[in-house]
Amino acid sequence: MINYFTEEASVEAVNGRIGEAARPRLKVVMESLVQHLHAFVKDVHLTQEEWEIAIEFLTKTGQICSGERQEYILLSDVLGVSMLVDAINNRRPPGATENTVFGPFHVADAPVRANGDTICLDGKGESCLFEGRVLDLEGNPIAGACVDVWSDNAEGFYDVQQPDVQPKWNNRGRFMSEADGSYSFVGIKPVSYPIPDDGPVGKMLGALGRHPYRPAHMHFLVTAPGFQKLVTHTFVGGDTYLESDAVFGVKKSLIAPFERLEGDKTLWRSTYDFVLVPETFEGPF
Ligand code: BEZ
Ligand code: FE
């Protein structure tokens, strides 16, 4: 039977064209995408003008992308898709540290520094000692884990956003956990900042009455042989944007203590342990 396109049978008309050669997983994904996309268009009764606005939006989103800027990932972030993909693919047992969004500002191969060293190279901001341990699910220390960290500077910018202003590798570094699983480094108490909002995604947020801010956080990528990779942040409790993070990255378990110190080398201390899951771990969760 020929499936001519009709409003009622639109999904069947499109999905019916998928040929034998299509890989099974591609078929599953595309059939579902077409089904949901058509349902959405019918649900909102999309007008011709709205369709044109959508095409223009997607065109501009592509046009602003470059080697340094990925507006589509930003779009995925603000629509909650990045966090949903992350959640589905990183289900963890109780006690394990939760994942959150990776973000666009990680730079591979940051300098490996000794525990206790500073990552703040521009001398700005309120100094903060970050310390804790890397542990397995039973609470045993994991030695030799790589704790890769990055944050914005006191003015709310990552070094890669200001290559002519900030020293290279400002507020970044890699630290190897000690025999007792401990890590430590001196950074700054992070500050909240807006995600890049001068493009179509920022314009969309504005039109929706949404702000572009992320609550203050320190990024961590923790890896150790035999364990699942952990991509996460710790958040500063009390931040104005904790409940309205532009990219939905906040999880309660990731809000870390930030203690004000008196007469110490640093103004603040934040202690947080990371608990990794063995690579071979299979539910139930
Ligand atoms: C970040 O935390 O670095 C980030 C995450 C998602 C979008 C933009 C920035
Ligand atoms: Fe960030």
Side-chain angles (χ1 to χ4, degrees):
M1 195 187 86
I2 300 171
N3 284 328
Y4 288 113
F5 194 98
T6 62
E7 184 179 329
E8 295 70 29
S10 64
V11 173
E12 293 72 19
V14 176
N15 285 343
R17 297 277 178 92
I18 299 176
E20 293 294 308
R23 283 179 287 115
R25 176 65 183 165
L26 179 64
K27 188 168 185 301
V28 167
V29 171
M30 289 307 295
E31 281 181 350
S32 180
L33 177 68
V34 168
Q35 186 192 322
H36 288 276
L37 205 52
H38 286 218
F40 153 72
V41 171
K42 290 173 188 180
D43 184 35
V44 300
H45 194 140
L46 201 71
T47 66
Q48 193 72 34
E49 192 194 354
E50 287 163 345
W51 178 86
E52 279 164 22
I53 292 169
I55 295 295
E56 194 190 337
F57 172 81
L58 292 172
T59 304
K60 286 191 173 149
T61 299
Q63 283 167 340
I64 205 171
C65 286
S66 68
E68 288 75 46
R69 177 151 186 174
Q70 231 305 350
E71 194 80 355
Y72 279 111
I73 295 184
L74 207 57
L75 179 60
S76 159
D77 294 340
V78 302
L79 293 179
V81 175
S82 305
M83 279 302 288
L84 186 55
V85 172
D86 190 75
I88 289 168
N89 288 282
N90 292 286
R91 293 180 184 133
R92 303 237 162 93
T97 305
E98 294 191 274
N99 242 53
T100 190
V101 67
F102 191 46
F105 297 125
H106 178 256
V107 180
D109 303 322
V112 177
R113 305 186 194 280
N115 279 303
D117 274 2
T118 186
I119 57 169
C120 175
L121 308 180
D122 65 0
K124 293 178 181 167
E126 298 188 352
S127 61
C128 180
L129 173 67
F130 291 83
E131 59 169 20
R133 290 170 304 155
V134 184
L135 304 169
D136 68 14
L137 282 171
E138 280 75 48
N140 302 307
I142 301 175
C146 178
V147 181
D148 189 345
V149 305
W150 66 105
S151 82
D152 55 339
N153 76 349
E155 280 146 14
F157 295 101
Y158 287 84
D159 58 352
V160 288
Q161 293 176 290
Q162 296 185 313
D164 302 327
V165 176
Q166 295 189 39
K168 193 167 162 66
W169 304 117
N170 192 27
N171 292 306
R172 296 176 189 277
R174 286 183 291 166
F175 298 85
M176 308 306 289
S177 63
E178 307 285 352
D180 62 354
S182 64
Y183 72 88
S184 64
F185 62 93
V186 175
I188 59 164
K189 184 168 179 248
V191 300
S192 48
Y193 63 86
I195 59 170
D197 65 342
D198 56 342
V201 171
K203 211 168 157 202
M204 183 190 84
L205 289 181
L208 292 173
R210 284 177 57 180
H211 69 72
Y213 280 86
R214 296 218 62 206
H217 57 274
M218 174 63 73
H219 289 262
F220 291 88
L221 164 60
V222 186
T223 49
F227 291 89
Q228 293 175 11
K229 176 171 82 172
L230 172 66
V231 175
T232 199
H233 317 341
T234 57
F235 291 92
V236 181
D239 190 283
T240 317
Y241 301 108
L242 274 180
E243 285 169 16
S244 62
D245 182 358
V247 303
F248 306 96
V250 181
K251 293 178 179 177
K252 199 167 171 233
S253 68
L254 300 177
I255 300 173
F258 279 77
E259 230 185 303
R260 176 103 195 181
L261 304 175
E262 298 295 339
D264 284 68
K265 279 192 204 141
T266 58
L267 264 178
W268 297 89
R269 177 171 58 211
S270 180
T271 305
Y272 198 89
D273 291 343
F274 296 102
V275 179
L276 304 188
V277 177
E279 223 157 44
T280 51
F281 192 90
E282 284 174 20
F285 301 106

